[in-house]
Amino acid sequence: MTPENVKHYENYFDLFNTDGWSQLMEQVQVDKDNFQIEAIADEKTLYQIQGQLYVLNTLINMEDMVRATYDSILIGEREAVNGE
């Protein structure tokens, strides 16, 4: 992994360890839980809500996705070094 990539992931990990990130994630989850899909009046509103939920889910899953990608890179590098 290049030094730039290492710094990229370290920045994410620093972010994930802040109180602000935890607070944001709590609020994002509350916002997601408060969607009332049964009250959708038309297709346009449905598509807007789908987009909003996509963004909220992306944020909710971001930490897990970043950590999984980082771990996958490290495993790939180890396998490359070990000739696996």
Side-chain angles (χ1 to χ4, degrees), residues 12 15 23 27 47 51 58 69-70:
Y12 270 127
L15 171 66
Q23 183 177 335
Q27 185 60 52
Y47 297 144
T58 298
T69 302
Y70 179 78

Side-chain angles (χ1 to χ4, degrees), residues 3-69:
E4 293 82 14
N5 286 342
V6 170
K7 182 65 175 161
H8 175 84
Y9 284 102
E10 286 176 351
N11 287 340
Y12 270 127
F13 298 144
D14 288 345
L15 171 66
F16 298 148
N17 287 321
T18 65
D19 292 338
W21 180 257
S22 296
Q23 183 177 335
L24 175 63
M25 289 300 96
E26 288 172 13
Q27 185 60 52
V28 167
Q29 188 64 54
V30 167
D31 292 347
K32 180 185 173 201
D33 292 344
N34 284 331
F35 271 95
Q36 307 252 335
I37 59 173
E38 62 275 358
I40 296 172
D42 54 39
E43 284 182 45
K44 182 179 178 183
T45 305
L46 171 65
Y47 297 144
Q48 289 172 337
I49 289 175
Q50 284 177 322
Q52 292 169 356
L53 287 171
Y54 177 81
V55 170
L56 294 175
N57 283 323
T58 298
L59 284 170
I60 289 167
N61 295 315
M62 182 176 228
E63 182 174 356
D64 290 337
M65 289 186 301
V66 168
R67 290 186 187 281
T69 302

